[in-house]
Amino acid sequence: MLTEEEINEIEVEIRQYPYPKVACIDALKIVQQHRGWVSDDSVKDIARYLEMSNEEVDGVATFYSRIYRKPVGRNVILICDGISCMIMGYESLYEYISQKLGVRFGETTSDGLFTLLPISCLGDCDHAPAMMINNDHFNQLTIEKIDNLLGNYK
Amino acid sequence: MERPLTRHIVTGSPPLNLKDYRKSGGYEGTIRVLKEMSPADVTSLVKASNLLGRGGAGFPTGVKWSLVPMDAGSPKPKYLVCNADEMEPGTFKDRYLLEGNPHQLIDGMIISAYAIQAEKAYIFLRWAYKKAEAGLRKALEEAYASGFLGKNILGSGFTLDISIHVSAGRYICGEETALLNSLEGKRAIPRSKPPFPAISGLFGKPTVVNNVETLCWISHLVVNGAEWFKGLSLTGTGGTKLYGVSGKVKNPGIWELPLGTTVHELIEEHAGGMSDGYRFRGALPGGASTDFLVEEHLDVKMDFSTVAAAGSRLGTGTMIILDDKTCPVAFLHNIEKFFALESCGWCTPCREGLPWVEKILDSIERGTGKMEYLDVLKFQTRYMGPGNTFCAHAPGAAEPLQSGLKYFKDDFVKHIHDKKCPWR
């Protein structure tokens, strides 16, 4: 079931467009904002609300990288694996973070604190290597910097 | 040297608010257009300037606008869309303009929307650009509060609303017809053309999609004129360009320079030359989907036609440097893996060809490649090339690969003969 708050937010988006199903991506983002990810039940709820088929909504949900169809940790670390970050050494930073947290790309730590994912070029190539944690952007990364950063996310 | 687009951008400082932007001469173009010019006047001016689209394809902006039906009975509403979904690997120029001076973009969008008589505009913004989003939202609020947006702008009778759509993340959204599908809430799959968006775009209505850097020019063109614009470049094409350099150089960065600045000047003077202990081997001049330039091309002027004559494309104008301590096969593997992951899967050469290419490059890099793989790669660059696909995704992916095979063939062969990567 969509909550009243979710429905209100989806309605704001629908009003911007000529017909309700245009708000499909917005609705997925809204549900994810509230619940952390988009479950099968949420796909069905959104489909019913926007008068779409479940498959159509899932087709959209699975197309976009920033819609999570599996649960993620409380914090999502997105390491830029773009070409400039590769030249500037993202691979060794990834290995370091991966060892420190005990997870590879696509996995979540057992305490549910961090999910580790790659992201394509973050558009900060002159300050590579770069990454994001949730909505926060970090660049010119070093192992020392990463040690300091991770402690800030609980 | 004039730097119209970046003059008011100070790294580390917040962008100009509306009041300071106005003091710097901002919104003068919008005011002049709404008071004195007809939509056709604006389009003629942009046509006369020969402004070429800064998103990568270099299509003349004025020509794109002139395809929009303008007679009284033309379909309504019409739409203007700003493509701010910057995601081309190695490209960081639109981020700089969005974060640095959001009012400049809004100023240009009002004039552009007026030229095609669009009453609704969208900024299609990359998810990761959080700082840009915050700055744009604030600037839009200020523009509405001061009467530059909304109903009957400055008493002219012209109405425009601008909304931000934050993308859910996918490279293909940068392709203009895929972007329109995404704005309609669908999977971002490119549309078959014709009809072109100018005739049937967003929700089937006439639509113009322009890149951030392109739209940022429009107010300057109105204030300073087409001849001024032409005089800014070194090659007569017109304008300055945001150029960037990333990789193992002393001073990676972004600079606004006259269109036609040479590869050599960019690397040596602006980027400070190669980092100590690193040698230049090649560069992708305009993002990951452009052909390699190598040592013999250092004197090439970074202009649309001259880079094309050298066998590559200006693309986004942001250069990625390949140095001698980075394996060219690993470099290409990284790029082709990106294109394989980001293929929307709609047409066969892209959906099937790119993962195949990625697997072969991975195999060569791991030392399990065979000589005949090189022929397969070469075949793939033609199979995925122009004319076989709906959009430029796979042909773009073929560009660095075909030129990489040409310029770094010895490195491929050495991987295969030695059964290992010489750089690992």
Side-chain angles (χ1 to χ4, degrees):
Chain A
M1 284 281 284
L2 297 172
T3 64
E4 201 182 321
E5 206 182 349
E6 287 166 339
I7 288 174
N8 288 339
E9 287 176 40
I10 292 169
E11 279 297 325
V12 171
E13 299 298 332
I14 290 175
R15 278 197 288 277
Q16 283 204 63
Y17 302 119
Y19 42 93
K21 71 187 235 180
V22 180
C24 180
I25 295 170
D26 301 292
L28 288 163
K29 283 195 291 194
I30 287 164
V31 167
Q32 181 165 297
Q33 180 73 30
H34 287 282
R35 304 170 189 231
W37 66 296
V38 178
S39 66
D40 289 351
D41 283 342
S42 295
V43 166
K44 287 177 196 159
D45 292 338
I46 291 171
R48 198 172 311 123
Y49 197 79
L50 298 179
E51 295 177 352
M52 299 167 71
S53 72
N54 299 343
E55 291 72 19
E56 203 179 354
V57 173
D58 203 21
V60 173
T62 53
F63 188 85
Y64 293 96
S65 313
R66 298 277 68 77
I67 300 295
Y68 302 135
R69 284 289 277 111
K70 286 181 188 168
V72 290
R74 193 128 38 106
N75 303 290
V76 179
I77 304 175
L78 298 162
I79 301 179
C80 177
D81 67 356
I83 181 63
S84 301
C85 282
M86 187 197 101
I87 296 167
M88 300 308 282
Y90 95 82
E91 282 159 322
S92 57
L93 291 175
Y94 165 57
E95 287 305 328
Y96 180 76
I97 296 176
S98 171
Q99 283 199 359
K100 196 178 161 87
L101 299 179
V103 287
R104 306 297 290 173
F105 275 143
E107 296 175 350
T108 301
T109 54
S110 52
D111 60 2
L113 206 52
F114 291 107
T115 294
L116 196 55
L117 292 174
I119 189 167
S120 44
C121 181
L122 278 172
D124 199 12
C125 318
D126 51 342
H127 306 109
M131 70 174 189
M132 290 180 82
I133 303 179
N134 307 330
N135 288 339
D136 307 325
H137 182 93
F138 304 100
N139 58 25
Q140 291 178 321
L141 290 168
T142 58
I143 282 170
E144 296 74 44
K145 237 179 174 171
I146 284 168
D147 273 334
N148 292 331
L149 275 176
L150 293 182
N152 297 334
Y153 291 86
K154 303 281 178 213
Chain B
M1 188 163 41
E2 284 189 84
R3 298 188 297 117
L5 299 188
T6 58
R7 195 155 58 103
H8 300 293
I9 299 179
V10 183
T11 309
S13 301
L16 298 182
N17 60 23
L18 188 131
K19 200 173 128 215
D20 290 333
Y21 180 69
R22 293 274 285 127
K23 264 192 214 150
S24 78
Y27 288 111
E28 287 304 316
T30 288
I31 293 167
R32 189 182 301 179
V33 162
L34 294 181
K35 271 196 182 142
E36 300 169 10
M37 293 172 76
S38 70
D41 289 342
V42 183
T43 300
S44 304
L45 169 74
V46 175
K47 251 185 169 170
S49 75
N50 193 31
L51 168 64
L52 303 180
R54 290 334 197 214
F59 191 80
T61 305
V63 174
K64 201 182 225 185
W65 293 5
S66 68
L67 300 174
V68 175
M70 293 300 290
D71 54 303
S74 57
K76 280 188 174 57
K78 294 186 249 186
Y79 295 99
L80 173 74
V81 180
C82 169
N83 186 346
D85 194 42
E86 180 167 75
M87 221 169 144
E88 174 77 18
T91 301
F92 47 101
K93 67 180 187 70
D94 293 338
R95 178 195 276 273
Y96 188 73
L97 291 170
L98 291 162
E99 289 181 0
N101 198 349
H103 277 295
Q104 178 172 249
L105 174 66
I106 296 167
D107 198 358
M109 285 182 73
I110 299 168
I111 300 169
S112 308
Y114 177 80
I116 60 163
Q117 291 290 293
E119 55 190 66
K120 177 79 194 179
Y122 291 96
I123 300 171
F124 192 99
L125 182 67
R126 178 150 189 218
W127 170 87
Y129 284 14
K130 300 293 175 193
K131 193 175 164 192
E133 184 188 346
L136 277 168
R137 291 205 188 277
K138 184 167 171 278
L140 284 173
E141 214 170 279
E142 290 178 325
Y144 273 105
S146 311
F148 285 106
L149 286 174
K151 285 197 165 56
N152 190 18
I153 299 169
L154 308 176
S156 66
F158 177 64
T159 290
L160 177 67
D161 270 313
I162 300 183
S163 303
I164 297 175
H165 172 90
V166 176
S167 175
R170 208 60 202 271
Y171 173 71
I172 197 66
C173 295
E175 201 279 338
E176 67 176 9
T177 59
L179 184 153
L180 295 176
N181 277 338
S182 188
L183 258 185
E184 292 183 7
K186 302 172 186 162
R187 290 167 73 94
I189 288 159
R191 297 175 180 176
S192 171
K193 292 176 276 192
F196 288 92
I199 307 298
S200 177
L202 189 61
F203 307 119
K205 305 291 186 191
T207 304
V208 162
V209 183
N210 284 137
N211 168 260
V212 172
E213 189 180 349
T214 309
L215 289 167
C216 284
W217 271 112
I218 305 301
S219 61
H220 299 286
L221 284 180
V222 169
V223 172
N224 298 300
E227 289 311 308
W228 163 84
F229 179 77
K230 286 182 181 165
L232 293 173
S233 89
L234 299 172
T235 52
T237 307
T240 60
K241 179 78 193 75
L242 263 71
Y243 290 113
V245 178
S246 69
K248 293 285 185 188
V249 289
K250 288 200 179 85
N251 177 32
I254 185 150
W255 310 276
E256 183 181 4
L257 298 165
L259 195 64
T261 300
T262 64
V263 177
H264 180 266
E265 185 185 329
L266 275 172
I267 297 173
E268 291 304 321
E269 288 182 32
H270 303 283
M274 295 300 289
S275 299
D276 291 333
Y278 292 86
R279 201 170 55 78
F280 174 88
R281 290 203 71 198
L284 304 180
S289 61
T290 57
D291 280 278
F292 275 102
L293 296 179
V294 292
E295 202 133 20
E296 69 191 75
H297 301 117
L298 287 174
D299 291 330
V300 166
K301 292 182 162 103
M302 289 278 282
D303 183 2
F304 293 93
S305 54
T306 11
V307 179
S312 186
R313 287 190 306 119
L314 177 63
T316 60
T318 42
M319 189 183 287
I320 310 158
I321 307 279
L322 171 67
D323 62 80
D324 63 335
K325 293 200 165 69
T326 299
C327 169
V329 177
F331 183 104
L332 282 165
H333 177 245
N334 174 285
I335 287 174
E336 299 304 331
K337 189 176 174 185
F338 163 81
F339 284 113
L341 283 168
E342 295 295 341
S343 168
C344 79
W346 187 246
C347 43
T348 311
C350 186
R351 182 184 64 240
E352 306 298 327
L354 283 166
W356 192 359
V357 162
E358 191 269 321
K359 277 201 177 74
I360 290 180
L361 289 171
D362 187 46
S363 159
I364 296 174
E365 177 64 8
R366 287 168 188 276
T368 53
K370 297 175 183 161
M371 280 307 282
E372 55 263 38
Y373 287 4
L374 298 182
D375 298 326
V376 178
L377 288 177
K378 211 166 178 187
F379 163 76
Q380 287 293 344
T381 61
R382 287 193 303 272
Y383 173 63
M384 301 189 304
N388 295 338
T389 57
F390 269 93
C391 82
H393 184 91
E399 289 180 30
L401 182 61
Q402 69 194 8
S403 48
L405 286 167
K406 178 167 131 198
Y407 294 122
F408 307 113
K409 186 165 183 202
D410 292 350
D411 297 304
F412 279 87
V413 171
K414 197 163 165 48
H415 277 77
I416 294 166
H417 278 176
D418 296 358
K419 299 194 187 322
K420 68 183 184 67
C421 171
W423 279 268
R424 289 198 193 244

